[in-house]
Amino acid sequence: MGDEYIAYAYWLDNVQGIGKKRKIQWVLKGLAPKEIYDQIEMIPETKITQQEKEKILEAKNRWNVWKQYENMVQKEIYFVPYTLEAYPQRLREISAPPFGIYVKGKLPGEEEKSVAIVGARHCSEYGRKMTTEYARAFAEYGIPVISGMASGIDSVAQRAALEAKGSTYAVLGCGVDICYPRENFALYMEMTQKGGIISEYPPGMRPLPQHFPARNRIISALADTVLIMEAKIKSGSLITAEMALEQGKDIYALPGACTDILSEGCNRLISDGAGILISPKELLETMGIPNVKNVRKQTENEIKLESAEKLVYSCLGLHPKSLEQILDNTKMSLPELLSHLISLEMKGCIKEISKNYYVKIDLEY
C-alpha cells in the first residue's frame, strides 16, 4: 500500500462522528478509503448508513486530502492505518484498537520484548530511584521502555533508559507534533531519534483530559510486562493496570509503606495478585533474560565526602527526615549540621524537598 492509500486512510481517520471500530469494519470488508471518498453516494446503505454518508460528505468538503497529507509528511510524521503491515500486531489484539496511529520516530520492534513503566506524576525520591534502576536495567539488556512522557515516573523512566543507551517510546494523549508537558521538550526531541513518539490522535490535536485514560490502553498493549512504580488509590496508573489485566499482560507493582499515599495503589495491586518488584535482576530472570548482571549502584564509599558529611549522608534515606531527626541522629550542633546539609545539597547528594525536610539522592541518576 502506497502513499495514496495512506493519504486517504489519514482522511478517513479524521472523519468526525464515526467510531474507529466502524471504520475498521469498513476496510476489513474491502471498502478502501479512496473508494469511500470517491464513491460515497453510490455505496449502498447496507454498508454505510445515510447518517454516516452525511458525515463523510461534510469531511470531504472541509479536507484537502493531499494538502493535509503533505503537511503531515513535512513534519516527519507518518500514519500507520490498521490495514498496513507495519501496524503493531499487539494493537490488533486489543478490544478497541485505533483505526491508525501516528508516529514520529519509529515503532517498537514486533519481536522484541518491551516493558511499560508508569506511575505518579508527583513521585517520591524512593519512586524516582527505583524507577531509574529498573529502566537502566532494561536498557542494558536491550528492552525498550514504553511510557507516557508525563511528569514524574514516566519521564524519569524514559530519561534513564536513554542515559543507559537504550530505546524508549512515548504514547501521547495529543498529536505527536505537540510536546506535552512542555518541560519534557529535550526528552521529546531525543526520543524521536532513539525511539518514537506515538499517538492515535492526529497532528495538532491538543492534550484534552479525556484522551489520557484512552491512551493508557495503547501503552499497556505495546508492552509485554507493565510496571506500576507509584500510584495513588485513584490514578491513571491503575487505569493502565486494569487495561493491562484485560489484555493479559504481566503486571508488577513496587511495594511501599502502608502509610504512604503514593504506595496505596501499588500495595492494593499486590494484594489483588500483581507481582512484587523485588529487584531488576529478579524481574529480568522471571522474564527469561539470561546472564542477568546486578544493576550497578553507587555506594557511599564512592562518594567523595568528608567524614562529617558522610555521617549526615548516612543517616538520610529516600523517605524525608526532619532537621530535628537529623540533629538527634548525628548529635551535631545546629550550625555545624546546617553547614554540612548545605554542602551535601550543593554536591547533589541530598535534596530539601520541603522546609527543613531532607532526602538522600542516588547519584546514579
Side-chain angles (χ1 to χ4, degrees), residues 61-322:
N61 292 332
R62 65 176 175 81
W63 187 279
N64 183 312
V65 172
W66 286 105
K67 181 180 178 181
Q68 295 287 350
Y69 178 70
E70 287 166 6
N71 286 343
M72 180 181 69
V73 171
Q74 285 173 3
K75 293 180 179 179
E76 297 183 329
I77 298 168
Y78 61 96
F79 180 63
V80 185
Y82 186 91
T83 44
L84 208 66
E85 188 177 346
Y87 188 94
Q89 183 59 33
R90 289 181 175 106
L91 284 185
R92 294 186 200 278
E93 295 169 356
I94 66 176
S95 59
F99 174 73
I101 53 173
Y102 300 87
V103 182
K104 196 169 177 64
K106 62 181 180 179
L107 286 166
E110 289 283 12
E111 303 303 322
E112 60 186 357
K113 289 181 181 291
S114 57
V115 174
I117 302 180
V118 297
R121 283 175 168 79
H122 301 289
C123 60
S124 69
E125 291 298 325
Y126 166 64
R128 185 179 293 270
K129 175 182 181 295
M130 298 309 298
T131 298
T132 299
E133 286 196 8
Y134 278 91
R136 285 187 169 175
F138 296 136
E140 182 179 351
Y141 287 91
I143 301 172
V145 171
I146 297 167
S147 197
M149 210 180 78
S151 302
I153 294 297
D154 290 23
S155 54
V156 167
Q158 298 189 287
R159 283 195 186 95
L162 291 173
E163 287 168 3
K165 311 301 181 187
S167 60
T168 181
Y169 301 83
V171 182
L172 303 186
C174 57
V176 296
D177 56 336
I178 297 174
C179 176
Y180 182 82
R182 189 66 183 174
E183 68 200 49
N184 285 336
F185 186 71
L187 175 63
Y188 168 92
M189 292 303 294
E190 188 171 0
M191 288 177 65
T192 62
Q193 303 300 316
K194 300 175 183 177
I197 309 294
I198 302 164
S199 179
E200 66 179 312
Y201 303 107
M205 178 62 72
R206 295 182 296 112
L208 301 176
Q210 63 267 29
H211 291 171
F212 292 91
R215 69 90 188 258
N216 291 348
R217 80 192 192 285
I218 299 177
I219 292 176
S220 55
L222 292 175
D224 299 294
T225 304
V226 177
L227 275 56
I228 313 295
M229 302 307 291
E230 280 188 321
K232 295 181 181 179
I233 204 69
K234 290 184 179 180
S235 66
S237 299
L238 294 195
I239 294 174
T240 305
E242 290 174 11
M243 292 176 173
L245 186 64
E246 291 175 6
Q247 295 165 1
K249 308 292 182 175
D250 293 326
I251 305 170
Y252 289 84
L254 181 70
C258 295
T259 54
D260 190 342
I261 192 171
L262 288 174
S263 293
E264 285 181 351
C266 290
N267 291 340
R268 175 58 60 190
L269 284 173
I270 292 167
S271 175
D272 290 343
I276 304 174
L277 290 174
I278 304 297
S279 70
K281 179 178 183 293
E282 185 169 307
L283 178 59
L284 286 163
E285 288 173 345
T286 301
M287 292 172 64
I289 309 299
N291 302 318
V292 173
K293 296 176 278 188
N294 285 312
V295 177
R296 189 174 72 84
K297 294 181 180 179
Q298 181 100 2
T299 67
E300 183 180 330
N301 292 332
E302 291 175 292
I303 304 168
K304 295 179 181 178
L305 301 177
E306 300 298 327
S307 58
E309 290 176 340
K310 282 188 178 182
L311 175 61
V312 177
Y313 182 79
S314 65
C315 80
L316 291 172
L318 297 173
H319 295 285
K321 277 193 177 181
S322 68

